[in-house]
Amino acid sequence: MGTILVTGATGTLGRPLVARLLADGAAVRAMSRRPRPAGDDRACDWAVAELASGAGLADAVADVETIVHCATNLRDDTAATRRLVAAARAGAPHLVYISIVGVDRVPYFYYRGKLAAEQLIEASGLPFTILRTTQFHDLLARVTLAQRWLPAVLSPAGVRFQPIDVTEVAARLAVLAQNAPAGRVADMGGPQVRDAAAFARATLAAVGRRRPVVPVRLPGAAFRAFRDGGHLAPDQAVGTVTFERYLARRQENSS
Ligand SMILES: NC(=O)c1ccc[n+]([C@@H]2O[C@H](COP(=O)([O-])OP(=O)(O)OC[C@H]3O[C@@H](n4cnc5c(N)ncnc54)[C@H](OP(=O)(O)O)[C@@H]3O)[C@@H](O)[C@H]2O)c1
């Protein structure tokens, strides 16, 4: 098996994915915009590249058999993916892309960019695999904890979530990356669908913070689609790690 390049290797998903691939004995090249952190002695290569400009990309993709594209930012995921595909084309690697359940149902600007990136990859002529998952536990916890300066935590009224543990997504991606291109594969959802406010309350309880949770009805087509559950995959509730287990592990790691 040849080298696997992981874009976004320093991110919430990229970190456990690199760890999983290394544990599997794969040859990994981690990509980031920054140099390798001091003290990082993991047995992987490191490539510094910037998807917004393309700087460093040619070297990052050189001689790789597979690319798992986890890099993201809110602004220009489509353009970044176009640059990655263009740089990768000559070597024809297997391109594995992580996307989000409901990108074709929820007209949220970030999801539109992910859908366009999926379409770019499908039309690229490169062998590809696309996995869509629901939100990661980390994201829901972060949204609640980010509101620490407010007297109450706001949560979108009428919206449910089905978050999944990022380690389970990383494990699935690692398998997909080490197997033949499979096109669009089955969606992955977390084990429980619950109201947004319930996740906010659980997060506050886990960190011992007392705040009321106030549901707020958000306007617009995107939030209507979220209320309709366009981002959920109840028939694909394959994740096993509950939000409470995630919170308990998070607290253990931070103490
Ligand atoms: N979070 C969720 O709930 C969720 C759910 C389903 C799917 N996903 C998808 O999973 C993927 C990973 O999400 P995440 O939560 O792990 O993201 P994240 O923690 O925000 O990490 C983003 C990564 O992208 C890299 N990056 C950002 N801009 C870059 C640029 N211009 N050039 C090169 N690298 C760049 C960052 O690396 P450096 O800063 O080191 O350069 C970082 O490692 C995304 O595609 C996301 O849409 C996320």
Side-chain angles (χ1 to χ4, degrees), residues 8-14 31-34 49-52 69-73 76-77 97-100 110 114 133-136 139 142:
T10 60
T12 307
L13 174 60
M31 191 184 111
S32 165
R33 288 166 296 181
R34 287 162 292 173
E50 165 61 90
L51 283 162
H69 181 28
C70 301
T72 187
N73 64 50
D76 68 345
D77 254 11
Y97 185 55
I98 175 72
S99 188
I100 306 174
Y110 178 65
K114 301 274 312 177
T133 78
T134 54
Q135 285 62 49
F136 303 158
L139 180 68
R142 211 169 332 121

PDB file of all heavy atoms in Angstrom, residues 8-14 31-34 49-52 69-73 76-77 97-100 110 114 133-136 139 142, ligand 1:
ATOM      1  N   GLY A   8      -5.843  18.490   6.219  1.00  0.00           N
ATOM      2  CA  GLY A   8      -6.532  18.816   7.479  1.00  0.00           C
ATOM      3  C   GLY A   8      -6.116  17.886   8.598  1.00  0.00           C
ATOM      4  O   GLY A   8      -6.885  17.601   9.515  1.00  0.00           O
ATOM      5  N   ALA A   9      -4.862  17.437   8.547  1.00  0.00           N
ATOM      6  CA  ALA A   9      -4.382  16.418   9.494  1.00  0.00           C
ATOM      7  C   ALA A   9      -4.328  16.917  10.930  1.00  0.00           C
ATOM      8  O   ALA A   9      -4.260  16.120  11.860  1.00  0.00           O
ATOM      9  CB  ALA A   9      -2.995  15.931   9.065  1.00  0.00           C
ATOM     10  N   THR A  10      -4.370  18.239  11.114  1.00  0.00           N
ATOM     11  CA  THR A  10      -4.325  18.783  12.475  1.00  0.00           C
ATOM     12  C   THR A  10      -5.720  19.027  13.046  1.00  0.00           C
ATOM     13  O   THR A  10      -5.855  19.493  14.175  1.00  0.00           O
ATOM     14  CB  THR A  10      -3.565  20.127  12.481  1.00  0.00           C
ATOM     15  OG1 THR A  10      -4.278  21.021  11.601  1.00  0.00           O
ATOM     16  CG2 THR A  10      -2.133  19.984  12.001  1.00  0.00           C
ATOM     17  N   GLY A  11      -6.763  18.756  12.260  1.00  0.00           N
ATOM     18  CA  GLY A  11      -8.122  19.112  12.669  1.00  0.00           C
ATOM     19  C   GLY A  11      -8.767  18.080  13.585  1.00  0.00           C
ATOM     20  O   GLY A  11      -8.168  17.055  13.940  1.00  0.00           O
ATOM     21  N   THR A  12     -10.010  18.367  13.953  1.00  0.00           N
ATOM     22  CA  THR A  12     -10.769  17.491  14.856  1.00  0.00           C
ATOM     23  C   THR A  12     -10.828  16.067  14.306  1.00  0.00           C
ATOM     24  O   THR A  12     -10.666  15.094  15.051  1.00  0.00           O
ATOM     25  CB  THR A  12     -12.206  18.046  15.005  1.00  0.00           C
ATOM     26  OG1 THR A  12     -12.110  19.407  15.397  1.00  0.00           O
ATOM     27  CG2 THR A  12     -13.010  17.266  16.026  1.00  0.00           C
ATOM     28  N   LEU A  13     -11.075  15.926  13.025  1.00  0.00           N
ATOM     29  CA  LEU A  13     -11.132  14.607  12.389  1.00  0.00           C
ATOM     30  C   LEU A  13      -9.743  14.124  11.970  1.00  0.00           C
ATOM     31  O   LEU A  13      -9.418  12.944  12.112  1.00  0.00           O
ATOM     32  CB  LEU A  13     -12.052  14.678  11.153  1.00  0.00           C
ATOM     33  CG  LEU A  13     -12.120  13.426  10.292  1.00  0.00           C
ATOM     34  CD1 LEU A  13     -12.640  12.222  11.093  1.00  0.00           C
ATOM     35  CD2 LEU A  13     -13.012  13.667   9.069  1.00  0.00           C
ATOM     36  N   GLY A  14      -8.944  15.042  11.435  1.00  0.00           N
ATOM     37  CA  GLY A  14      -7.644  14.645  10.904  1.00  0.00           C
ATOM     38  C   GLY A  14      -6.748  13.983  11.945  1.00  0.00           C
ATOM     39  O   GLY A  14      -6.056  12.998  11.647  1.00  0.00           O
ATOM     40  N   MET A  31      -0.861  16.726   6.149  1.00  0.00           N
ATOM     41  CA  MET A  31      -0.756  18.057   5.532  1.00  0.00           C
ATOM     42  C   MET A  31      -1.369  19.125   6.423  1.00  0.00           C
ATOM     43  O   MET A  31      -2.428  18.923   7.009  1.00  0.00           O
ATOM     44  CB  MET A  31      -1.464  18.052   4.173  1.00  0.00           C
ATOM     45  CG  MET A  31      -1.176  19.293   3.340  1.00  0.00           C
ATOM     46  SD  MET A  31      -2.124  19.295   1.792  1.00  0.00           S
ATOM     47  CE  MET A  31      -3.246  20.647   2.144  1.00  0.00           C
ATOM     48  N   SER A  32      -0.670  20.249   6.498  1.00  0.00           N
ATOM     49  CA  SER A  32      -1.124  21.390   7.296  1.00  0.00           C
ATOM     50  C   SER A  32      -0.540  22.650   6.659  1.00  0.00           C
ATOM     51  O   SER A  32       0.421  22.571   5.895  1.00  0.00           O
ATOM     52  CB  SER A  32      -0.615  21.242   8.736  1.00  0.00           C
ATOM     53  OG  SER A  32      -0.732  22.449   9.458  1.00  0.00           O
ATOM     54  N   ARG A  33      -1.105  23.801   7.033  1.00  0.00           N
ATOM     55  CA  ARG A  33      -0.497  25.059   6.565  1.00  0.00           C
ATOM     56  C   ARG A  33       0.724  25.417   7.393  1.00  0.00           C
ATOM     57  O   ARG A  33       1.485  26.302   7.038  1.00  0.00           O
ATOM     58  CB  ARG A  33      -1.518  26.209   6.663  1.00  0.00           C
ATOM     59  CG  ARG A  33      -2.603  26.124   5.622  1.00  0.00           C
ATOM     60  CD  ARG A  33      -3.744  27.048   5.963  1.00  0.00           C
ATOM     61  NE  ARG A  33      -4.387  26.631   7.209  1.00  0.00           N
ATOM     62  CZ  ARG A  33      -5.438  27.243   7.748  1.00  0.00           C
ATOM     63  NH1 ARG A  33      -5.950  28.285   7.149  1.00  0.00           N
ATOM     64  NH2 ARG A  33      -5.965  26.793   8.872  1.00  0.00           N
ATOM     65  N   ARG A  34       0.856  24.736   8.539  1.00  0.00           N
ATOM     66  CA  ARG A  34       1.945  25.086   9.451  1.00  0.00           C
ATOM     67  C   ARG A  34       2.996  23.989   9.496  1.00  0.00           C
ATOM     68  O   ARG A  34       2.684  22.818   9.227  1.00  0.00           O
ATOM     69  CB  ARG A  34       1.386  25.297  10.860  1.00  0.00           C
ATOM     70  CG  ARG A  34       0.606  26.582  10.982  1.00  0.00           C
ATOM     71  CD  ARG A  34      -0.283  26.562  12.183  1.00  0.00           C
ATOM     72  NE  ARG A  34      -1.367  25.580  12.030  1.00  0.00           N
ATOM     73  CZ  ARG A  34      -2.216  25.248  12.989  1.00  0.00           C
ATOM     74  NH1 ARG A  34      -2.086  25.753  14.188  1.00  0.00           N
ATOM     75  NH2 ARG A  34      -3.178  24.380  12.761  1.00  0.00           N
ATOM     76  N   ALA A  49       1.300  22.868   3.143  1.00  0.00           N
ATOM     77  CA  ALA A  49       0.647  23.329   1.917  1.00  0.00           C
ATOM     78  C   ALA A  49      -0.574  24.160   2.275  1.00  0.00           C
ATOM     79  O   ALA A  49      -1.183  23.984   3.332  1.00  0.00           O
ATOM     80  CB  ALA A  49       0.245  22.139   1.050  1.00  0.00           C
ATOM     81  N   GLU A  50      -0.921  25.056   1.375  1.00  0.00           N
ATOM     82  CA  GLU A  50      -2.018  26.014   1.587  1.00  0.00           C
ATOM     83  C   GLU A  50      -3.019  25.844   0.447  1.00  0.00           C
ATOM     84  O   GLU A  50      -2.705  26.109  -0.719  1.00  0.00           O
ATOM     85  CB  GLU A  50      -1.386  27.418   1.616  1.00  0.00           C
ATOM     86  CG  GLU A  50      -2.305  28.574   1.480  1.00  0.00           C
ATOM     87  CD  GLU A  50      -3.349  28.665   2.576  1.00  0.00           C
ATOM     88  OE1 GLU A  50      -3.097  29.307   3.607  1.00  0.00           O
ATOM     89  OE2 GLU A  50      -4.436  28.085   2.371  1.00  0.00           O
ATOM     90  N   LEU A  51      -4.196  25.379   0.773  1.00  0.00           N
ATOM     91  CA  LEU A  51      -5.197  25.120  -0.271  1.00  0.00           C
ATOM     92  C   LEU A  51      -5.775  26.411  -0.847  1.00  0.00           C
ATOM     93  O   LEU A  51      -6.315  26.419  -1.948  1.00  0.00           O
ATOM     94  CB  LEU A  51      -6.326  24.251   0.291  1.00  0.00           C
ATOM     95  CG  LEU A  51      -5.982  22.762   0.433  1.00  0.00           C
ATOM     96  CD1 LEU A  51      -6.951  22.059   1.379  1.00  0.00           C
ATOM     97  CD2 LEU A  51      -5.977  22.068  -0.921  1.00  0.00           C
ATOM     98  N   ALA A  52      -5.674  27.523  -0.107  1.00  0.00           N
ATOM     99  CA  ALA A  52      -6.242  28.779  -0.608  1.00  0.00           C
ATOM    100  C   ALA A  52      -5.415  29.349  -1.756  1.00  0.00           C
ATOM    101  O   ALA A  52      -5.947  30.017  -2.632  1.00  0.00           O
ATOM    102  CB  ALA A  52      -6.339  29.785   0.535  1.00  0.00           C
ATOM    103  N   HIS A  69      -9.293  13.810   2.109  1.00  0.00           N
ATOM    104  CA  HIS A  69      -9.413  15.275   2.130  1.00  0.00           C
ATOM    105  C   HIS A  69     -10.314  15.703   3.286  1.00  0.00           C
ATOM    106  O   HIS A  69     -11.535  15.683   3.184  1.00  0.00           O
ATOM    107  CB  HIS A  69      -9.994  15.721   0.778  1.00  0.00           C
ATOM    108  CG  HIS A  69     -10.148  17.193   0.625  1.00  0.00           C
ATOM    109  ND1 HIS A  69      -9.357  18.114   1.275  1.00  0.00           N
ATOM    110  CD2 HIS A  69     -11.019  17.921  -0.132  1.00  0.00           C
ATOM    111  CE1 HIS A  69      -9.742  19.330   0.935  1.00  0.00           C
ATOM    112  NE2 HIS A  69     -10.755  19.249   0.095  1.00  0.00           N
ATOM    113  N   CYS A  70      -9.654  16.096   4.402  1.00  0.00           N
ATOM    114  CA  CYS A  70     -10.384  16.529   5.615  1.00  0.00           C
ATOM    115  C   CYS A  70     -10.230  18.019   5.861  1.00  0.00           C
ATOM    116  O   CYS A  70     -10.829  18.536   6.802  1.00  0.00           O
ATOM    117  CB  CYS A  70      -9.857  15.799   6.850  1.00  0.00           C
ATOM    118  SG  CYS A  70      -9.996  14.024   6.779  1.00  0.00           S
ATOM    119  N   ALA A  71      -9.391  18.708   5.064  1.00  0.00           N
ATOM    120  CA  ALA A  71      -9.198  20.143   5.312  1.00  0.00           C
ATOM    121  C   ALA A  71     -10.481  20.888   4.984  1.00  0.00           C
ATOM    122  O   ALA A  71     -11.191  20.544   4.046  1.00  0.00           O
ATOM    123  CB  ALA A  71      -8.049  20.671   4.461  1.00  0.00           C
ATOM    124  N   THR A  72     -10.765  21.895   5.755  1.00  0.00           N
ATOM    125  CA  THR A  72     -11.961  22.694   5.502  1.00  0.00           C
ATOM    126  C   THR A  72     -11.801  24.063   6.107  1.00  0.00           C
ATOM    127  O   THR A  72     -11.057  24.239   7.066  1.00  0.00           O
ATOM    128  CB  THR A  72     -13.209  22.024   6.123  1.00  0.00           C
ATOM    129  OG1 THR A  72     -14.369  22.742   5.706  1.00  0.00           O
ATOM    130  CG2 THR A  72     -13.178  22.024   7.662  1.00  0.00           C
ATOM    131  N   ASN A  73     -12.435  25.037   5.505  1.00  0.00           N
ATOM    132  CA  ASN A  73     -12.704  26.282   6.225  1.00  0.00           C
ATOM    133  C   ASN A  73     -14.018  26.807   5.698  1.00  0.00           C
ATOM    134  O   ASN A  73     -14.496  26.374   4.659  1.00  0.00           O
ATOM    135  CB  ASN A  73     -11.536  27.276   6.123  1.00  0.00           C
ATOM    136  CG  ASN A  73     -11.293  27.721   4.724  1.00  0.00           C
ATOM    137  OD1 ASN A  73     -12.216  28.130   4.033  1.00  0.00           O
ATOM    138  ND2 ASN A  73     -10.042  27.654   4.289  1.00  0.00           N
ATOM    139  N   ASP A  76     -14.084  28.849   1.576  1.00  0.00           N
ATOM    140  CA  ASP A  76     -13.868  28.473   0.166  1.00  0.00           C
ATOM    141  C   ASP A  76     -13.567  26.992  -0.014  1.00  0.00           C
ATOM    142  O   ASP A  76     -12.617  26.622  -0.667  1.00  0.00           O
ATOM    143  CB  ASP A  76     -12.732  29.312  -0.434  1.00  0.00           C
ATOM    144  CG  ASP A  76     -11.391  28.965   0.196  1.00  0.00           C
ATOM    145  OD1 ASP A  76     -11.394  28.307   1.251  1.00  0.00           O
ATOM    146  OD2 ASP A  76     -10.351  29.312  -0.382  1.00  0.00           O
ATOM    147  N   ASP A  77     -14.379  26.131   0.560  1.00  0.00           N
ATOM    148  CA  ASP A  77     -14.120  24.696   0.434  1.00  0.00           C
ATOM    149  C   ASP A  77     -14.148  24.222  -1.013  1.00  0.00           C
ATOM    150  O   ASP A  77     -13.415  23.315  -1.390  1.00  0.00           O
ATOM    151  CB  ASP A  77     -15.147  23.904   1.246  1.00  0.00           C
ATOM    152  CG  ASP A  77     -14.522  23.333   2.516  1.00  0.00           C
ATOM    153  OD1 ASP A  77     -13.394  23.728   2.835  1.00  0.00           O
ATOM    154  OD2 ASP A  77     -15.165  22.485   3.150  1.00  0.00           O
ATOM    155  N   TYR A  97     -13.290  11.628   0.327  1.00  0.00           N
ATOM    156  CA  TYR A  97     -13.798  12.931   0.789  1.00  0.00           C
ATOM    157  C   TYR A  97     -14.806  12.738   1.903  1.00  0.00           C
ATOM    158  O   TYR A  97     -15.685  11.879   1.833  1.00  0.00           O
ATOM    159  CB  TYR A  97     -14.449  13.667  -0.389  1.00  0.00           C
ATOM    160  CG  TYR A  97     -14.896  15.067  -0.058  1.00  0.00           C
ATOM    161  CD1 TYR A  97     -14.008  16.006   0.465  1.00  0.00           C
ATOM    162  CD2 TYR A  97     -16.207  15.474  -0.294  1.00  0.00           C
ATOM    163  CE1 TYR A  97     -14.415  17.297   0.767  1.00  0.00           C
ATOM    164  CE2 TYR A  97     -16.625  16.767   0.002  1.00  0.00           C
ATOM    165  CZ  TYR A  97     -15.715  17.675   0.528  1.00  0.00           C
ATOM    166  OH  TYR A  97     -16.127  18.950   0.834  1.00  0.00           O
ATOM    167  N   ILE A  98     -14.682  13.585   2.929  1.00  0.00           N
ATOM    168  CA  ILE A  98     -15.631  13.553   4.050  1.00  0.00           C
ATOM    169  C   ILE A  98     -16.633  14.689   3.858  1.00  0.00           C
ATOM    170  O   ILE A  98     -16.248  15.853   3.744  1.00  0.00           O
ATOM    171  CB  ILE A  98     -14.906  13.640   5.419  1.00  0.00           C
ATOM    172  CG1 ILE A  98     -15.904  13.728   6.573  1.00  0.00           C
ATOM    173  CG2 ILE A  98     -13.910  14.792   5.492  1.00  0.00           C
ATOM    174  CD1 ILE A  98     -16.644  12.465   6.871  1.00  0.00           C
ATOM    175  N   SER A  99     -17.889  14.307   3.817  1.00  0.00           N
ATOM    176  CA  SER A  99     -18.939  15.303   3.604  1.00  0.00           C
ATOM    177  C   SER A  99     -19.984  15.179   4.717  1.00  0.00           C
ATOM    178  O   SER A  99     -19.753  14.506   5.726  1.00  0.00           O
ATOM    179  CB  SER A  99     -19.532  15.108   2.208  1.00  0.00           C
ATOM    180  OG  SER A  99     -20.418  16.157   1.898  1.00  0.00           O
ATOM    181  N   ILE A 100     -21.095  15.848   4.555  1.00  0.00           N
ATOM    182  CA  ILE A 100     -22.074  15.964   5.640  1.00  0.00           C
ATOM    183  C   ILE A 100     -23.439  15.488   5.163  1.00  0.00           C
ATOM    184  O   ILE A 100     -23.874  15.838   4.052  1.00  0.00           O
ATOM    185  CB  ILE A 100     -22.170  17.427   6.123  1.00  0.00           C
ATOM    186  CG1 ILE A 100     -20.782  17.963   6.498  1.00  0.00           C
ATOM    187  CG2 ILE A 100     -23.148  17.557   7.294  1.00  0.00           C
ATOM    188  CD1 ILE A 100     -20.758  19.439   6.845  1.00  0.00           C
ATOM    189  N   TYR A 110     -22.509  26.754   3.875  1.00  0.00           N
ATOM    190  CA  TYR A 110     -21.357  25.852   4.011  1.00  0.00           C
ATOM    191  C   TYR A 110     -21.664  24.503   3.343  1.00  0.00           C
ATOM    192  O   TYR A 110     -20.795  23.903   2.701  1.00  0.00           O
ATOM    193  CB  TYR A 110     -21.022  25.680   5.497  1.00  0.00           C
ATOM    194  CG  TYR A 110     -19.879  24.728   5.766  1.00  0.00           C
ATOM    195  CD1 TYR A 110     -18.585  25.015   5.339  1.00  0.00           C
ATOM    196  CD2 TYR A 110     -20.089  23.535   6.459  1.00  0.00           C
ATOM    197  CE1 TYR A 110     -17.540  24.138   5.585  1.00  0.00           C
ATOM    198  CE2 TYR A 110     -19.040  22.658   6.712  1.00  0.00           C
ATOM    199  CZ  TYR A 110     -17.772  22.964   6.276  1.00  0.00           C
ATOM    200  OH  TYR A 110     -16.736  22.092   6.515  1.00  0.00           O
ATOM    201  N   LYS A 114     -19.919  22.254   0.273  1.00  0.00           N
ATOM    202  CA  LYS A 114     -19.535  20.840   0.377  1.00  0.00           C
ATOM    203  C   LYS A 114     -20.148  20.046  -0.780  1.00  0.00           C
ATOM    204  O   LYS A 114     -19.501  19.158  -1.342  1.00  0.00           O
ATOM    205  CB  LYS A 114     -20.002  20.227   1.702  1.00  0.00           C
ATOM    206  CG  LYS A 114     -19.499  20.879   2.962  1.00  0.00           C
ATOM    207  CD  LYS A 114     -18.172  20.426   3.466  1.00  0.00           C
ATOM    208  CE  LYS A 114     -17.911  18.951   3.570  1.00  0.00           C
ATOM    209  NZ  LYS A 114     -16.529  18.690   4.007  1.00  0.00           N
ATOM    210  N   THR A 133     -21.353  12.149   6.919  1.00  0.00           N
ATOM    211  CA  THR A 133     -21.736  11.827   8.301  1.00  0.00           C
ATOM    212  C   THR A 133     -22.548  12.985   8.881  1.00  0.00           C
ATOM    213  O   THR A 133     -22.569  14.087   8.325  1.00  0.00           O
ATOM    214  CB  THR A 133     -20.518  11.579   9.217  1.00  0.00           C
ATOM    215  OG1 THR A 133     -19.939  12.835   9.594  1.00  0.00           O
ATOM    216  CG2 THR A 133     -19.474  10.712   8.557  1.00  0.00           C
ATOM    217  N   THR A 134     -23.166  12.710  10.001  1.00  0.00           N
ATOM    218  CA  THR A 134     -23.837  13.774  10.743  1.00  0.00           C
ATOM    219  C   THR A 134     -22.790  14.592  11.514  1.00  0.00           C
ATOM    220  O   THR A 134     -21.590  14.310  11.440  1.00  0.00           O
ATOM    221  CB  THR A 134     -24.875  13.164  11.709  1.00  0.00           C
ATOM    222  OG1 THR A 134     -24.205  12.194  12.519  1.00  0.00           O
ATOM    223  CG2 THR A 134     -26.035  12.518  10.969  1.00  0.00           C
ATOM    224  N   GLN A 135     -23.243  15.568  12.275  1.00  0.00           N
ATOM    225  CA  GLN A 135     -22.343  16.452  13.041  1.00  0.00           C
ATOM    226  C   GLN A 135     -21.515  15.626  14.033  1.00  0.00           C
ATOM    227  O   GLN A 135     -21.977  14.620  14.547  1.00  0.00           O
ATOM    228  CB  GLN A 135     -23.167  17.482  13.832  1.00  0.00           C
ATOM    229  CG  GLN A 135     -23.755  18.599  12.979  1.00  0.00           C
ATOM    230  CD  GLN A 135     -24.728  18.099  11.939  1.00  0.00           C
ATOM    231  OE1 GLN A 135     -25.633  17.318  12.237  1.00  0.00           O
ATOM    232  NE2 GLN A 135     -24.548  18.507  10.694  1.00  0.00           N
ATOM    233  N   PHE A 136     -20.296  16.112  14.295  1.00  0.00           N
ATOM    234  CA  PHE A 136     -19.465  15.460  15.308  1.00  0.00           C
ATOM    235  C   PHE A 136     -19.903  15.966  16.692  1.00  0.00           C
ATOM    236  O   PHE A 136     -20.290  17.129  16.845  1.00  0.00           O
ATOM    237  CB  PHE A 136     -17.977  15.799  15.120  1.00  0.00           C
ATOM    238  CG  PHE A 136     -17.420  15.454  13.761  1.00  0.00           C
ATOM    239  CD1 PHE A 136     -16.283  16.091  13.279  1.00  0.00           C
ATOM    240  CD2 PHE A 136     -18.020  14.488  12.945  1.00  0.00           C
ATOM    241  CE1 PHE A 136     -15.759  15.782  12.026  1.00  0.00           C
ATOM    242  CE2 PHE A 136     -17.506  14.175  11.691  1.00  0.00           C
ATOM    243  CZ  PHE A 136     -16.378  14.832  11.234  1.00  0.00           C
ATOM    244  N   LEU A 139     -18.554  19.359  17.741  1.00  0.00           N
ATOM    245  CA  LEU A 139     -19.151  20.583  17.209  1.00  0.00           C
ATOM    246  C   LEU A 139     -20.288  21.063  18.117  1.00  0.00           C
ATOM    247  O   LEU A 139     -20.368  22.245  18.466  1.00  0.00           O
ATOM    248  CB  LEU A 139     -19.670  20.334  15.790  1.00  0.00           C
ATOM    249  CG  LEU A 139     -20.327  21.535  15.109  1.00  0.00           C
ATOM    250  CD1 LEU A 139     -19.310  22.625  14.814  1.00  0.00           C
ATOM    251  CD2 LEU A 139     -21.033  21.121  13.820  1.00  0.00           C
ATOM    252  N   ARG A 142     -18.883  22.400  21.296  1.00  0.00           N
ATOM    253  CA  ARG A 142     -18.194  23.678  21.081  1.00  0.00           C
ATOM    254  C   ARG A 142     -19.189  24.839  20.942  1.00  0.00           C
ATOM    255  O   ARG A 142     -18.975  25.926  21.466  1.00  0.00           O
ATOM    256  CB  ARG A 142     -17.312  23.567  19.829  1.00  0.00           C
ATOM    257  CG  ARG A 142     -16.095  24.418  19.914  1.00  0.00           C
ATOM    258  CD  ARG A 142     -15.041  24.179  18.843  1.00  0.00           C
ATOM    259  NE  ARG A 142     -14.969  22.868  18.262  1.00  0.00           N
ATOM    260  CZ  ARG A 142     -15.130  22.623  16.959  1.00  0.00           C
ATOM    261  NH1 ARG A 142     -15.431  23.577  16.116  1.00  0.00           N
ATOM    262  NH2 ARG A 142     -15.000  21.392  16.500  1.00  0.00           N
TER     263      ARG A 142
HETATM  264  N1  LIG B   1     -17.363  19.027  12.419  1.00  0.00           N
HETATM  265  C1  LIG B   1     -18.433  18.324  12.063  1.00  0.00           C
HETATM  266  O1  LIG B   1     -19.431  18.224  12.791  1.00  0.00           O
HETATM  267  C2  LIG B   1     -18.425  17.587  10.737  1.00  0.00           C
HETATM  268  C3  LIG B   1     -19.457  16.692  10.402  1.00  0.00           C
HETATM  269  C4  LIG B   1     -19.413  16.003   9.182  1.00  0.00           C
HETATM  270  C5  LIG B   1     -18.371  16.264   8.287  1.00  0.00           C
HETATM  271  N2  LIG B   1     -17.398  17.164   8.642  1.00  0.00           N
HETATM  272  C6  LIG B   1     -16.318  17.427   7.694  1.00  0.00           C
HETATM  273  O2  LIG B   1     -15.127  16.869   8.211  1.00  0.00           O
HETATM  274  C7  LIG B   1     -14.019  17.613   7.727  1.00  0.00           C
HETATM  275  C8  LIG B   1     -13.086  17.931   8.895  1.00  0.00           C
HETATM  276  O3  LIG B   1     -13.779  18.737   9.833  1.00  0.00           O
HETATM  277  P1  LIG B   1     -13.090  19.144  11.213  1.00  0.00           P
HETATM  278  O4  LIG B   1     -14.194  19.449  12.155  1.00  0.00           O
HETATM  279  O5  LIG B   1     -12.044  18.139  11.541  1.00  0.00           O
HETATM  280  O6  LIG B   1     -12.382  20.515  10.779  1.00  0.00           O
HETATM  281  P2  LIG B   1     -11.362  21.402  11.639  1.00  0.00           P
HETATM  282  O7  LIG B   1     -11.161  20.822  12.995  1.00  0.00           O
HETATM  283  O8  LIG B   1     -11.836  22.808  11.507  1.00  0.00           O
HETATM  284  O9  LIG B   1      -9.994  21.245  10.862  1.00  0.00           O
HETATM  285  C9  LIG B   1      -9.811  21.872   9.627  1.00  0.00           C
HETATM  286  C10 LIG B   1      -8.452  21.490   9.076  1.00  0.00           C
HETATM  287  O10 LIG B   1      -8.326  22.105   7.776  1.00  0.00           O
HETATM  288  C11 LIG B   1      -7.034  22.639   7.658  1.00  0.00           C
HETATM  289  N3  LIG B   1      -7.127  23.817   6.796  1.00  0.00           N
HETATM  290  C12 LIG B   1      -7.971  24.872   6.945  1.00  0.00           C
HETATM  291  N4  LIG B   1      -7.783  25.759   5.951  1.00  0.00           N
HETATM  292  C13 LIG B   1      -6.800  25.256   5.169  1.00  0.00           C
HETATM  293  C14 LIG B   1      -6.150  25.722   3.995  1.00  0.00           C
HETATM  294  N5  LIG B   1      -6.473  26.894   3.425  1.00  0.00           N
HETATM  295  N6  LIG B   1      -5.168  24.962   3.446  1.00  0.00           N
HETATM  296  C15 LIG B   1      -4.828  23.778   4.023  1.00  0.00           C
HETATM  297  N7  LIG B   1      -5.411  23.276   5.133  1.00  0.00           N
HETATM  298  C16 LIG B   1      -6.376  24.016   5.700  1.00  0.00           C
HETATM  299  C17 LIG B   1      -6.586  22.986   9.070  1.00  0.00           C
HETATM  300  O11 LIG B   1      -5.191  22.743   9.137  1.00  0.00           O
HETATM  301  P3  LIG B   1      -4.068  23.804   9.582  1.00  0.00           P
HETATM  302  O12 LIG B   1      -4.753  24.874  10.415  1.00  0.00           O
HETATM  303  O13 LIG B   1      -3.103  22.958  10.362  1.00  0.00           O
HETATM  304  O14 LIG B   1      -3.513  24.304   8.298  1.00  0.00           O
HETATM  305  C18 LIG B   1      -7.293  21.947   9.922  1.00  0.00           C
HETATM  306  O15 LIG B   1      -6.482  20.801  10.122  1.00  0.00           O
HETATM  307  C19 LIG B   1     -14.606  18.841   7.011  1.00  0.00           C
HETATM  308  O16 LIG B   1     -14.617  18.603   5.633  1.00  0.00           O
HETATM  309  C20 LIG B   1     -16.029  18.910   7.533  1.00  0.00           C
HETATM  310  O17 LIG B   1     -16.926  19.504   6.608  1.00  0.00           O
HETATM  311  C21 LIG B   1     -17.391  17.821   9.826  1.00  0.00           C
END
